[in-house]
Coordinates of all heavy atoms in Angstrom, one line a residue:
V768 N -98.9 20.9 -173.8 CA -98.5 21.5 -175.2 C -99.5 21.0 -176.2 O -100.0 19.9 -176.1 CB -97.1 21.0 -175.6 CG1 -96.0 21.7 -174.7 CG2 -96.9 19.5 -175.6
T769 N -99.9 21.9 -177.1 CA -100.7 21.6 -178.2 C -100.3 22.2 -179.5 O -99.5 23.2 -179.4 CB -102.2 22.2 -177.9 OG1 -102.0 23.7 -177.9 CG2 -102.8 21.7 -176.6
P770 N -100.6 21.6 -180.6 CA -100.1 22.1 -181.8 C -100.5 23.7 -182.0 O -101.5 24.0 -181.5 CB -100.8 21.3 -182.9 CG -101.1 19.9 -182.3 CD -101.4 20.4 -180.8
L771 N -99.7 24.4 -182.7 CA -100.0 25.8 -182.8 C -101.3 26.1 -183.4 O -102.0 27.0 -183.0 CB -98.9 26.5 -183.7 CG -97.6 26.6 -183.1 CD1 -96.6 27.3 -184.0 CD2 -97.5 27.5 -181.7
E772 N -101.8 25.4 -184.5 CA -102.9 25.7 -185.2 C -104.2 24.9 -184.7 O -105.2 24.9 -185.3 CB -102.7 25.4 -186.8 CG -102.4 23.8 -187.0 CD -101.0 23.5 -186.7 OE1 -100.1 24.3 -186.6 OE2 -100.8 22.2 -186.9
E773 N -103.9 24.2 -183.5 CA -105.0 23.4 -183.1 C -106.2 24.4 -182.6 O -106.0 25.4 -182.1 CB -104.5 22.5 -181.9 CG -105.3 21.4 -181.5 CD -105.5 20.4 -182.7 OE1 -104.5 20.1 -183.3 OE2 -106.6 19.9 -182.8
G774 N -107.4 23.7 -182.8 CA -108.6 24.4 -182.2 C -108.9 24.1 -180.9 O -108.0 24.1 -179.9
P775 N -110.1 23.5 -180.4 CA -110.4 23.2 -179.1 C -109.4 22.2 -178.5 O -108.9 21.3 -179.2 CB -111.8 22.7 -179.2 CG -112.4 23.2 -180.5 CD -111.2 23.4 -181.4
P776 N -109.1 22.2 -177.2 CA -108.1 21.5 -176.7 C -108.4 19.9 -176.7 O -107.5 19.1 -176.7 CB -107.9 22.0 -175.2 CG -109.2 22.8 -175.0 CD -109.6 23.3 -176.2
A777 N -109.6 19.6 -176.6 CA -110.0 18.2 -176.6 C -109.7 17.5 -177.9 O -109.9 16.3 -178.0 CB -111.4 17.9 -176.1
T778 N -109.4 18.3 -178.9 CA -109.3 17.7 -180.3 C -107.8 17.5 -180.5 O -107.4 17.3 -181.8 CB -109.8 18.6 -181.4 OG1 -109.2 19.8 -181.3 CG2 -111.3 18.8 -181.2
F779 N -106.9 17.3 -179.6 CA -105.6 17.2 -179.7 C -105.2 15.9 -180.4 O -104.0 15.8 -181.0 CB -104.9 17.2 -178.4 CG -103.3 17.3 -178.4 CD1 -102.7 18.5 -178.6 CD2 -102.6 16.1 -178.4 CE1 -101.4 18.6 -178.7 CE2 -101.1 16.1 -178.5 CZ -100.6 17.4 -178.6
A780 N -106.1 15.0 -180.7 CA -105.9 13.7 -181.3 C -105.6 13.9 -182.8 O -105.6 12.8 -183.5 CB -106.9 12.8 -181.0
S781 N -105.6 15.1 -183.3 CA -105.5 15.2 -184.8 C -104.2 14.8 -185.3 O -103.2 14.8 -184.5 CB -105.8 16.6 -185.2 OG -104.6 17.4 -184.9
A782 N -104.0 14.6 -186.6 CA -102.8 14.1 -187.2 C -101.8 15.3 -187.2 O -100.5 15.2 -187.2 CB -103.0 13.8 -188.6
K783 N -102.3 16.6 -187.0 CA -101.4 17.7 -186.9 C -100.4 17.5 -185.8 O -99.2 18.0 -186.0 CB -102.2 19.0 -186.6 CG -103.1 19.5 -187.7 CD -103.9 20.8 -187.4 CE -105.0 21.0 -188.1 NZ -105.8 22.1 -187.6
S784 N -100.9 16.9 -184.7 CA -100.0 16.7 -183.6 C -98.7 15.9 -183.8 O -97.7 16.1 -183.3 CB -100.6 16.3 -182.3 OG -101.1 15.0 -182.5
V785 N -99.0 15.0 -184.8 CA -98.0 14.0 -185.1 C -96.8 14.7 -186.0 O -95.6 14.5 -185.9 CB -98.4 12.8 -186.0 CG1 -97.3 12.0 -186.4 CG2 -99.4 12.0 -185.0
F786 N -97.3 15.6 -186.9 CA -96.4 16.3 -187.9 C -95.9 17.7 -187.5 O -95.1 18.1 -188.1 CB -97.0 16.3 -189.3 CG -97.4 14.9 -189.8 CD1 -98.7 14.4 -189.9 CD2 -96.4 14.0 -190.1 CE1 -99.1 13.0 -190.2 CE2 -96.5 12.7 -190.6 CZ -98.0 12.3 -190.6
S787 N -96.5 18.2 -186.4 CA -96.1 19.6 -186.1 C -94.8 19.6 -185.6 O -94.4 18.7 -184.9 CB -97.1 20.1 -185.0 OG -96.9 21.4 -184.8
R788 N -94.0 20.7 -185.8 CA -92.7 20.9 -185.4 C -92.6 21.9 -184.2 O -91.6 22.1 -183.5 CB -91.7 21.3 -186.4 CG -91.7 20.4 -187.6 CD -91.2 19.0 -187.3 NE -89.8 18.9 -187.0 CZ -89.2 17.9 -186.4 NH1 -89.8 16.9 -186.1 NH2 -87.9 17.9 -186.1
K789 N -93.7 22.6 -184.0 CA -93.9 23.5 -183.0 C -95.2 23.5 -182.3 O -96.1 22.8 -182.8 CB -94.0 25.0 -183.5 CG -92.7 25.4 -184.3 CD -91.7 25.9 -183.3 CE -90.4 26.4 -183.9 NZ -89.4 26.8 -182.9
A790 N -95.1 23.9 -181.0 CA -96.4 23.6 -180.2 C -96.5 25.0 -179.2 O -95.5 25.7 -179.1 CB -96.2 22.4 -179.2
R791 N -97.6 25.1 -178.8 CA -97.9 26.2 -177.8 C -98.2 25.6 -176.5 O -98.9 24.6 -176.3 CB -99.2 26.9 -178.2 CG -99.6 28.0 -177.3 CD -99.2 29.4 -177.5 NE -99.2 29.8 -178.9 CZ -98.3 30.7 -179.3 NH1 -97.4 31.1 -178.7 NH2 -98.3 31.0 -180.6
V792 N -97.6 26.1 -175.4 CA -97.7 25.8 -174.0 C -99.0 26.4 -173.6 O -99.2 27.7 -173.6 CB -96.6 26.2 -173.2 CG1 -96.9 25.8 -171.7 CG2 -95.4 25.5 -173.6
R793 N -100.0 25.7 -173.1 CA -101.3 26.1 -172.6 C -101.5 25.8 -171.3 O -101.3 24.6 -170.8 CB -102.4 25.8 -173.6 CG -102.1 26.1 -175.0 CD -103.4 25.8 -175.7 NE -103.2 26.0 -177.2 CZ -103.2 27.2 -177.9 NH1 -103.4 28.2 -177.3 NH2 -103.0 27.2 -179.2
M794 N -102.2 26.6 -170.5 CA -102.8 26.5 -169.2 C -104.3 26.4 -169.4 O -104.8 27.3 -169.9 CB -102.5 27.4 -168.2 CG -102.9 27.1 -166.7 SD -102.3 28.4 -165.5 CE -103.7 29.5 -165.5
Q795 N -104.8 25.2 -169.2 CA -106.3 24.9 -169.5 C -106.9 24.2 -168.3 O -106.2 23.5 -167.6 CB -106.4 24.1 -170.8 CG -105.9 24.7 -171.9 CD -105.7 23.9 -173.1 OE1 -104.9 22.9 -173.1 NE2 -106.3 24.1 -174.2
L796 N -108.2 24.2 -168.2 CA -108.9 23.3 -167.3 C -108.6 21.9 -167.6 O -108.8 21.4 -168.8 CB -110.4 23.7 -167.3 CG -110.7 25.0 -166.6 CD1 -112.2 25.3 -166.8 CD2 -110.5 24.9 -165.1
L797 N -108.4 21.0 -166.6 CA -108.2 19.6 -166.8 C -109.5 19.0 -167.5 O -109.4 18.3 -168.5 CB -107.9 19.0 -165.4 CG -108.0 17.4 -165.4 CD1 -106.9 16.9 -166.4 CD2 -107.9 16.9 -164.0
K798 N -110.7 19.5 -167.2 CA -111.8 18.8 -167.7 C -111.9 19.2 -169.2 O -112.5 18.3 -170.0 CB -113.1 19.3 -166.9 CG -113.4 20.8 -167.1 CD -114.7 21.2 -166.4 CE -114.9 22.7 -166.7 NZ -116.3 23.0 -166.4
D799 N -111.5 20.3 -169.6 CA -111.5 20.7 -171.1 C -110.4 19.9 -171.9 O -110.8 19.5 -173.0 CB -111.2 22.2 -171.3 CG -112.4 23.1 -170.8 OD1 -113.5 22.4 -170.5 OD2 -112.1 24.3 -170.5
V800 N -109.3 19.7 -171.3 CA -108.3 18.9 -171.9 C -108.6 17.4 -172.1 O -108.6 16.8 -173.1 CB -106.8 19.2 -171.3 CG1 -105.8 18.2 -171.9 CG2 -106.5 20.6 -171.3
V801 N -109.3 16.9 -171.0 CA -109.7 15.6 -171.0 C -110.9 15.3 -171.9 O -110.9 14.2 -172.5 CB -110.0 15.1 -169.5 CG1 -110.7 13.7 -169.5 CG2 -108.7 15.1 -168.8
G802 N -111.9 16.2 -172.0 CA -113.0 16.0 -172.8 C -113.8 14.8 -172.4 O -114.0 14.5 -171.3
N803 N -114.1 13.8 -173.5 CA -114.8 12.7 -173.1 C -113.8 11.4 -172.9 O -114.3 10.4 -172.8 CB -115.7 12.4 -174.3 CG -116.7 13.3 -174.5 OD1 -117.2 13.9 -173.5 ND2 -117.1 13.7 -175.6
D804 N -112.5 11.6 -172.9 CA -111.5 10.7 -172.5 C -111.4 10.4 -171.1 O -112.0 11.0 -170.2 CB -110.2 11.0 -173.2 CG -110.3 11.2 -174.8 OD1 -111.1 10.4 -175.2 OD2 -109.7 12.1 -175.2
T805 N -110.5 9.4 -170.7 CA -110.2 9.0 -169.3 C -108.7 9.4 -169.1 O -108.0 9.6 -170.2 CB -110.5 7.6 -169.0 OG1 -109.6 6.7 -169.8 CG2 -111.9 7.2 -169.1
Y806 N -108.4 9.5 -167.8 CA -107.0 9.7 -167.5 C -106.5 9.1 -166.2 O -107.5 8.6 -165.5 CB -106.7 11.3 -167.4 CG -107.3 12.0 -166.2 CD1 -106.7 12.1 -165.1 CD2 -108.5 12.6 -166.2 CE1 -107.2 12.7 -163.9 CE2 -109.1 13.2 -165.3 CZ -108.5 13.3 -164.0 OH -109.0 14.0 -163.0
H807 N -105.2 9.0 -166.1 CA -104.7 8.5 -164.7 C -103.8 9.6 -164.2 O -103.2 10.4 -165.0 CB -103.8 7.3 -165.1 CG -104.5 6.0 -165.6 ND1 -103.9 5.0 -165.9 CD2 -105.8 5.7 -165.5 CE1 -104.7 4.0 -166.4 NE2 -105.9 4.4 -166.0

């Protein structure tokens, strides 16, 4: 899930995600969602 008004998926770390009351369910490439971060 990503905030409705969010831009590129790797920028999910914005403050919008904390205050948003709605989100969009997205199917995306794992590499795009991860961006420069790490995951488990």
Side-chain angles (χ1 to χ4, degrees):
V768 291
T769 63
L771 289 178
E772 62 280 349
E773 196 64 39
T778 63
F779 190 83
S781 75
K783 291 179 195 173
S784 64
V785 174
F786 299 110
S787 182
R788 302 302 286 167
K789 294 282 184 183
R791 173 92 45 213
V792 178
R793 298 193 192 277
M794 185 172 92
Q795 300 168 298
L796 286 169
L797 173 61
K798 67 178 185 162
D799 292 341
V800 177
V801 170
N803 293 325
D804 297 320
T805 61
Y806 71 91
H807 293 167

